[in-house]
Amino acid sequence: MKNIRNFCIIAHIDHGKSTLADRLLEFTNTLTEKEKHAQVLDSMELEKEKGITIKSHAIQMDYEHNGEKYVLNLIDTPGHVDFSYEVSRAIAACEGALLIVDATQGIQAQTISNLYLAIEHDLEIIPLVNKVDMESAMVDDVKDQIVELIGCDREDIIPTSAKTGVGIETVLETIIKKVPAPAGNPDAPLQALIFDSVFNPFRGIIAYFRVINGTIHSGDRVKFFNTNQQYDADEVGILRLKMLPRKLLSAGDVGYIISGIKNSSEVKVGDTITHVENPCTEGIAGFEDVKPMVFAGLYPIEADDYEDLRASLDKLKLNDASLTYEPESSLALGFGFRCGFLGLLHMEIVQERLYREFDIDVITTVPNVSYKVYTTKDELIEIHNPSGLPEPNNIDRIEEPTIRAQIITNSDSLGAVMRLCIEKRGELKNQIFLTTNRIELSFTMPLSEIVFDFYDKLKSISRGYASLDYHMEGYQIAKLVRLDILLNGEMVDALSTLIHHDYAYSFGRRMCEKLKELIPRQQFDIAIQAAIGTKVIARETVKALRKDVTAKCYGGDISRKRKLLEKQKKGKKRMRQVGNVEVPQQAFLAVLKMD
């Protein structure tokens, strides 16, 4: 055990985490020449294209130092705020962390939040300044920021360039010197922490775990502590680029277990594996069920693809346990699913994967969050969909989820960032100057205000400098109303939104104007109305296409013309009663894109 080192890499998106992992694998000769390519651990096509890590990955390396052989287990973590629970479990499986800060960008919000997670778990922090080979690198300034943040000595900060390989050897030596060896007891009852799982179509779900105490042999009868399910450990082993089976894994080891599980909901990240015969008395602390934050309806463009969409979501859920879905139907869009996501990036990734991996195009309804509705009879209803809201006279109060947002920005865009947050009903809680030019702002905000386009706006007003991190805080009472869109008096349920009372009028007005442009003209007038309950707050009319029925009357008596026009009027009235209005697909998409 004394020669094992378990460590993870924490960084903000795009600070060079995956590239550094590549260099470490090359230096320890874990990769052969044939296997070398950029971002080895980012195995999904999407990860390579977007330049982000979506799944956690783990890999074992051997390294010789002063004649002794060491085993290094690297647990790679996602960098995006949506996946913070997975990051926390990966951190719990380690004793040390490499803190990477980009020399061209300095410390950003996700760096700080992941760093606090690592400090909470008593990890040994090794700070690195990456991308020192870039012309725009501000190495001294960034070193000052790191010293100020974690209080280390300037000499402890390792300058590296993951692209060119500068400083990688120093990093490996520092890991061996500074990261403590695992402190488990191999003879105690088995306790192993699951930090990730992947789906294999032939072997079922493979769980990645770190043994904290005890030993596990292949063939053992094991159970998962929180779900209380029992399995046979058909195969256990270590993770290289491929999985290598082993007879046993002992305290401190990181590996995988295959036990033929077919249902992803049975394997929960953060759960504890223990033996059936000699179980541990308590699970590893910190386990929680990951709750979806953002809900949206996914509908197939062709109604016939409904069953294909269901099958695709089933398969996708095997790889992504945090996705939840249930069937729902809409009058305008037909049959589909109401899906729960961790955040907007997660939603985008799911849509993209459905299209790429299963060739299914979907329409997404307006994303919203879950609200708690208390009725006048003191019942609590959880609402994920505007159409589920009870009648206004039965509602006592509605509570909406709030978040604590931490935004780091430079002083030039401070005013614009604060204005944006206050417009989004944010409340400033704290403001800290990290350096003379960088400020950390803490806001309490409703989650519903940031699920839409908050991140994009934040990036554009700060010219890409500002970075965001957030975590759930609780619920607060909100004055929310359901805004309905009526076409000729018929409600279009897919366009209903739950919105704050103060913004309902302007949003309803803009929605009607947008739909007026998009709905094609018919032979009769179409009334587009925005309504709250029974009160109409905005109206636009799509004028009728009118056939010129008086064209054949030239000269003669006016009563002939009048007779023809009256006849046309009656026809139009009858048409309006039986005619129905088709809402084109782009109308749904345009409402999603509205500011």
Side-chain angles (χ1 to χ4, degrees), residues 19-20 50 54 59 138 146 187 261 272 312 348 352 355 369 372 388 450 452 458 476 508 531 533 543 557 595:
T19 316
L20 183 88
K50 287 184 179 279
I54 296 168
I59 194 159
M138 316 167 287
I146 296 174
D187 303 322
I261 304 168
T272 306
S312 308
E348 197 182 309
E352 189 76 22
Y355 179 62
V369 299
K372 288 183 175 175
I450 73 157
F452 222 34
L458 181 70
Q476 68 179 21
K543 285 311 219 182
D557 191 35
D595 281 337

Side-chain angles (χ1 to χ4, degrees), residues 6-20:
N6 295 325
F7 68 99
C8 60
I9 304 178
I10 51 180
H12 193 80
I13 287 183
D14 214 19
H15 280 205
K17 186 165 45 164
S18 298
T19 316
L20 183 88

Side-chain angles (χ1 to χ4, degrees), residues 2-3 63-70 176:
K2 70 179 192 346
N3 286 9
Y63 185 62
E64 201 167 307
H65 179 63
N66 294 343
E68 272 199 73
K69 281 193 174 169
Y70 288 89
I176 284 166

